[in-house]
Amino acid sequence: MRRTLANGCLVLLMIPAALMIYFWFTVWHTGNENDRRRQDALDSLLGQAHEAADRTADALTRSGDTGTDALTGVIWKHTESPVITYDEERRAFTAVAARSAVYEEKSILLPRGPEMVERCFTYTYVRRPGAGWASKVTEPDVEACRGSSRIGDRVRIAQARMEDTEAAGLTRAGLRRALEPTGRPSGESRSDVRSVVREGRTVVAVVLFRYPDRYQAQDEGSAPVEQCYRLTRFLDLQGGFVKPVTAVPVTAC
């Protein structure tokens, strides 16, 4: 009888111990699985960056263009980098862009939503004598892409505001008011409308975007970023827009 009771007590003690072991194993396994999914997402972004760099280098070689603005357009088309600069001394283009991916995290009890990871990439393109273009991808800290990402945000806002502006207001002064409703001086604003040209039903504006502006605290260690863009709007006969405003970076304005 005593042995039976002892065995019963032992079984009762083993059940919570087994449950505890199972719980901790589940937590460990879930954590490892989520780490694997996160790393897979990060590796995927790195692969996409290298594919974009190779694709862009091939496109630059095939283009045969020599103008910096035309070459900048090729790079932007394949990398969608908000900031693209040209070093005349090195004859090299540098594009900076953040890439992000979403992955599903495995949960133990309550369902969890998708998680996002982000990496910052710098693409460098150099023309090799007689051998086309060469590309290089580096990965700085994600904070290095802050300025580039902010420039991209401001360009998208400018596109929307240019679409909403009446045709009569598509002048340099009118577009400046649309982009800077607060009326800041051009040297202190987030954007500076350099020119607006209308030919027929096409309006082309060249705008300089900058980050940070004078009223914005600059992050420690982050350098100011500027990028010129050419914004194009096509008008219909009533002065509206036929399709969304396009925005392409240019090297100078």
Side-chain angles (χ1 to χ4, degrees):
M1 183 66 178
R2 291 180 179 177
R3 180 175 297 180
T4 302
L5 290 175
N7 290 338
C9 291
L10 182 61
V11 170
L12 292 176
L13 290 173
M14 290 177 63
I15 290 175
L19 291 175
M20 184 64 69
I21 292 172
Y22 175 78
F23 173 77
W24 284 114
F25 173 79
T26 303
V27 171
W28 173 82
H29 177 73
T30 300
N32 281 358
E33 176 64 17
N34 288 334
D35 289 343
R36 185 191 65 79
R37 293 182 182 185
R38 176 183 175 84
Q39 190 59 50
D40 287 347
L42 292 171
D43 292 343
S44 175
L45 292 178
L46 181 60
Q48 293 173 26
H50 280 284
E51 289 176 5
D54 293 341
R55 187 169 60 248
T56 305
D58 291 341
L60 289 169
T61 301
R62 292 194 308 269
S63 71
D65 290 318
T66 57
T68 54
D69 281 348
L71 294 172
T72 297
V74 173
I75 296 171
W76 177 84
K77 178 181 179 181
H78 291 280
T79 65
E80 295 185 347
S81 301
V83 174
I84 302 173
T85 57
Y86 177 66
D87 187 332
E88 189 171 356
E89 183 177 348
R90 296 171 52 224
R91 296 183 179 180
F93 288 90
T94 301
V96 181
R99 287 180 174 268
S100 61
V102 175
Y103 69 97
E104 292 291 336
E105 276 212 342
K106 186 178 180 180
S107 62
I108 301 175
L109 298 175
L110 298 177
R112 301 181 62 174
E115 295 289 332
M116 186 180 75
V117 292
E118 185 177 37
R119 300 181 85 159
C120 179
F121 296 105
T122 298
Y123 308 84
T124 304
Y125 302 96
V126 180
R127 190 196 300 270
R128 298 177 296 183
W133 289 80
S135 64
K136 180 181 179 181
V137 178
T138 56
E139 186 182 353
D141 186 87
V142 70
E143 290 299 316
C145 274
R146 181 184 295 274
S148 174
S149 298
R150 294 296 183 271
I151 294 291
D153 293 340
R154 289 172 185 179
V155 171
R156 286 185 286 272
I157 292 173
Q159 289 177 267
R161 291 182 179 175
M162 189 172 178
E163 288 179 4
D164 293 337
T165 301
E166 296 183 358
L170 292 175
T171 62
R172 186 181 179 189
L175 189 57
R176 182 176 291 171
R177 285 192 297 270
L179 299 186
E180 289 291 340
T182 58
R184 296 175 181 174
S186 60
E188 301 176 355
S189 64
R190 299 178 178 181
S191 61
D192 183 12
V193 181
R194 297 299 178 89
S195 65
V196 176
V197 177
R198 179 168 178 172
E199 294 183 358
R201 291 185 291 172
T202 303
V203 180
V204 178
V206 176
V207 183
L208 172 67
F209 295 92
R210 56 173 66 95
Y211 174 84
D213 56 58
R214 184 174 295 182
Y215 294 93
Q216 190 172 33
Q218 184 172 332
D219 295 331
E220 184 178 355
S222 62
V225 179
E226 293 185 345
Q227 181 67 54
C228 293
Y229 270 80
R230 182 173 62 247
L231 279 66
T232 304
R233 174 173 160 180
F234 301 95
L235 304 174
D236 63 17
L237 296 177
Q238 285 72 43
F241 67 92
V242 179
K243 53 186 176 180
V245 171
T246 61
V248 179
V250 292
T251 54
C253 56

